[in-house]
Amino acid sequence: MYIALLGRQPEISIAELAAVFGADCVNRISQQFAKVQTSQFDITTLGGTIKCAEVITELPASRTDKASLLAASRFITQHYQAKWAHSPHKITLGLSAYNLAVGARDVQKTGLILKSSLKKSGTSLRLIPNDQPALSTATAHNNKLGGSPHKVELLLIKTTDRRLIIAESRGVQNITAYTRRDRHRPKRDAFVGMLPPKLAQIMLNLALGAGPLTRQRSHDNSVTRSDSSLSDKSMVLRTALPDAFDLEETAGIRAAVTILDPFCGTGTVLQEALLAGYDVVGTDLSQKMVDYTTENLSWLQSTFTAPGNVIDIHQADATTHHWPNSTHLTAVVCETYLGQPFSAPPAPQKLAEVAGNCNHIITGFLTNIRPQLAPNTPLCIAVPAWYDASGRATHLPLIKNLQKLGYYQLNRTPLIYRRPDQIVARELLVLKPIDKTAPQA
Ligand SMILES: C[S@@+](CC[C@H](N)C(=O)[O-])C[C@H]1O[C@@H](n2cnc3c(N)ncnc32)[C@H](O)[C@@H]1O
């Protein structure tokens, strides 16, 4: 059993976890945390989880947070004294308390007690200093906490129903790797937009979790069809949709996964897809962007281990293009045209003009691609939503017309990715074409 520290937009993180592990296996236990029933958790494949940890114990509700911390402290001292006494390795320990009204020094005290009791049995412990009750991602990452049995972060989490979970970190978001994949690319373009690599990862997971394929995260990063996915375990997002796959024919067969990004820009989605082991096709209206993607993907393949294959990158208008072999695509994942960037909310007339233009292009794209896709091909697309100074959003009109355009929207709650004060947010839509040939239920 694992717990996941959710990202800045927890609904998006939860949707990603549900897409990857199955809705039934993911439970929100507090504002910041979800519990995930799984025996394996690889944080590097998830864009929306900040820290992950394996549950060691759950303590019953205490009357006060101080009493909860005291109970946790007793458990930790006993458990880890027994575990680490006479350890040949020096232990590095970090402690993080979440949702407990206690100070950093209170949390640190638990570590100091453990440190002095371990010293008596000959084990040396380095305690990471806390200036907040919880260690930051950067501190946990820089100290490699969760990366080995001797570098441990213990997370103390008060749940919404006041239980206390004690969990051992198994990894933290690799901020250095994300920065390399983002800032170190040879071609970037602030005007076209900078899709964060972790959001691209989330979008890939949302799309593939909504499809008939579920990744079994094997060592070679390949993707297999699995019975568990076909038995509908992985579908928080799914409405009651007919599944056109023949279980007997497909069970156990290793399938190539091909992702199309028809608005590829500088290639962030395709880069994350290649790293995850998927094959990629990319197109963009602008030849300059096609060149940028091509150069960025060559750099990626020469710099990282990226097991997927680049099948084709070419110039094309997504509102009219016919993609060769489009029925073989596994998923369509893209950040569509978002219109011009704004640093202040636009005047109503300007907003209407920009929103109308984006609506026109994205409607054209959805209309064009729908008949080209095999039934059940999932899409995860990021479209713009504009925020005014009071935090009110203007959404694309087409979102209300998705059924008329021939799509089911699978996410039932809005998934908005937005930095504070950002005017143009990204709204994620997880879609599936309506299969007009399927028998009506
Ligand atoms: C928001 S950017 C995508 C950025 C991309 N996710 C990245 O990582 O750089 C949108 C892209 O859509 C392209 N675009 C605009 N209209 C298009 C159309 N009709 N067909 C295809 N691409 C289009 C633009 O050239 C731009 O590269």
Side-chain angles (χ1 to χ4, degrees):
M1 182 80 75
Y2 281 78
I3 48 116
L5 173 59
L6 309 171
R8 205 164 31 84
Q9 263 102 166
E11 282 68 29
I12 295 183
S13 304
I14 288 273
E16 183 189 37
L17 289 169
V20 171
F21 294 101
D24 296 347
C25 298
V26 179
N27 284 306
R28 186 97 176 244
I29 53 168
S30 72
Q31 178 60 23
Q32 287 176 288
F33 281 91
K35 199 185 230 184
V36 184
Q37 266 177 56
T38 177
S39 56
Q40 270 189 316
F41 196 113
D42 179 1
I43 196 168
T44 62
T45 61
L46 297 164
T49 294
I50 308 288
K51 291 179 182 177
C52 71
E54 199 169 346
V55 175
I56 303 299
T57 192
E58 289 193 35
L59 303 176
S62 297
R63 279 201 305 151
T64 64
D65 287 355
K66 288 239 164 173
S68 290
L69 183 62
L70 194 65
S73 184
R74 279 198 198 110
F75 174 85
I76 289 170
T77 317
Q78 262 185 14
H79 184 84
Y80 289 97
Q81 165 67 36
K83 186 168 172 180
W84 289 332
H86 315 294
S87 163
H89 302 276
K90 180 171 181 163
I91 308 289
T92 304
L93 178 68
L95 286 166
S96 288
Y98 291 93
N99 202 22
L100 287 168
V102 293
R105 287 179 62 179
D106 300 324
V107 179
Q108 193 81 356
K109 215 163 134 188
T110 301
L112 292 172
I113 295 168
L114 180 59
K115 183 182 168 101
S116 73
S117 81
L118 280 173
K119 200 173 175 186
K120 289 176 199 145
S121 52
T123 301
S124 143
L125 183 144
R126 179 169 81 92
L127 188 61
I128 309 282
N130 285 55
D131 57 3
Q132 299 289 324
L135 297 176
S136 67
T137 313
T139 302
H141 170 65
N142 293 338
N143 286 286
K144 301 187 171 60
L145 299 182
S148 95
H150 324 301
K151 293 181 191 285
V152 178
E153 181 182 5
L154 294 179
L155 284 73
L156 284 52
I157 302 138
K158 188 174 85 175
T159 62
T160 308
D161 59 6
R162 302 188 60 81
R163 282 169 303 122
L164 192 89
I165 294 181
I166 300 177
E168 240 181 61
S169 169
R170 292 288 178 262
V172 58
Q173 206 164 60
N174 188 339
I175 43 187
T176 314
Y178 281 123
T179 305
R180 279 182 77 207
R181 267 139 65 186
D182 187 8
R183 307 264 163 85
H184 296 192
R185 299 190 295 164
K187 295 293 180 194
R188 303 178 79 229
D189 190 317
F191 192 80
V192 158
M194 307 274 197
L195 183 73
K198 61 182 171 184
L199 183 55
Q201 251 183 338
I202 292 172
M203 291 170 67
L204 287 160
N205 283 327
L206 289 175
L208 290 165
L213 290 166
T214 282
R215 272 160 298 168
Q216 289 180 340
R217 298 187 187 282
S218 55
H219 296 302
D220 62 358
N221 267 328
S222 60
V223 176
T224 56
R225 297 189 190 285
S226 82
D227 288 344
S228 61
S229 70
L230 294 164
S231 67
D232 213 8
K233 205 169 120 229
S234 69
M235 282 311 309
V236 68
L237 300 159
R238 192 188 291 213
T239 51
L241 293 174
D243 203 317
F245 276 81
D246 177 331
L247 297 194
E248 292 211 352
E249 192 192 316
T250 57
I253 296 174
R254 202 169 284 272
V257 168
T258 306
I259 306 292
L260 166 67
D261 181 347
F263 295 85
C264 64
T266 60
T268 317
V269 166
L270 303 181
Q271 140 189 332
E272 293 307 310
L274 286 174
L275 288 168
Y278 311 139
D279 297 343
V280 301
V281 177
T283 52
D284 196 287
L285 184 62
S286 152
Q287 182 58 47
K288 180 175 147 191
M289 287 300 130
V290 169
D291 296 341
Y292 275 23
T293 288
T294 307
E295 192 171 336
N296 281 340
L297 297 187
S298 312
W299 165 82
L300 183 90
Q301 290 181 310
S302 62
T303 313
F304 299 89
T305 305
N309 301 303
V310 178
I311 296 185
D312 194 17
I313 310 289
H314 63 265
Q315 187 276 332
D317 183 339
T319 64
T320 54
H321 188 58
H322 277 241
W323 289 271
N325 299 318
S326 57
T327 54
H328 293 181
L329 294 170
T330 314
V332 178
V333 179
C334 60
E335 180 190 31
T336 61
Y337 179 58
L338 302 180
Q340 70 191 79
F342 290 110
S343 53
Q349 204 183 343
K350 180 72 185 168
L351 175 59
E353 183 197 311
V354 174
N357 188 23
C358 290
N359 201 59
H360 177 73
I361 292 170
I362 301 164
T363 301
F365 153 62
L366 288 172
T367 310
N368 174 43
I369 201 166
R370 207 206 70 80
Q372 301 185 48
L373 299 173
N376 277 319
T377 307
L379 301 87
C380 180
I381 69 172
V383 301
W386 295 266
Y387 281 77
D388 67 15
S390 65
R392 217 166 46 97
T394 299
H395 298 275
L396 277 187
L398 68 84
I399 296 175
K400 290 216 162 89
N401 289 324
L402 285 165
Q403 293 236 357
K404 275 199 196 135
L405 293 173
Y407 294 91
Y408 295 108
Q409 183 175 356
L410 304 182
N411 58 304
R412 294 180 190 139
T413 51
L415 299 173
I416 308 279
Y417 189 90
R418 178 180 179 241
R419 287 191 308 275
D421 303 329
Q422 197 173 17
I423 310 295
V424 187
R426 296 171 176 97
E427 177 156 12
L428 307 185
L429 305 176
V430 188
L431 308 175
K432 237 180 207 189
I434 297 170
D435 181 4
K436 293 184 178 141
T437 62
Q440 301 296 306

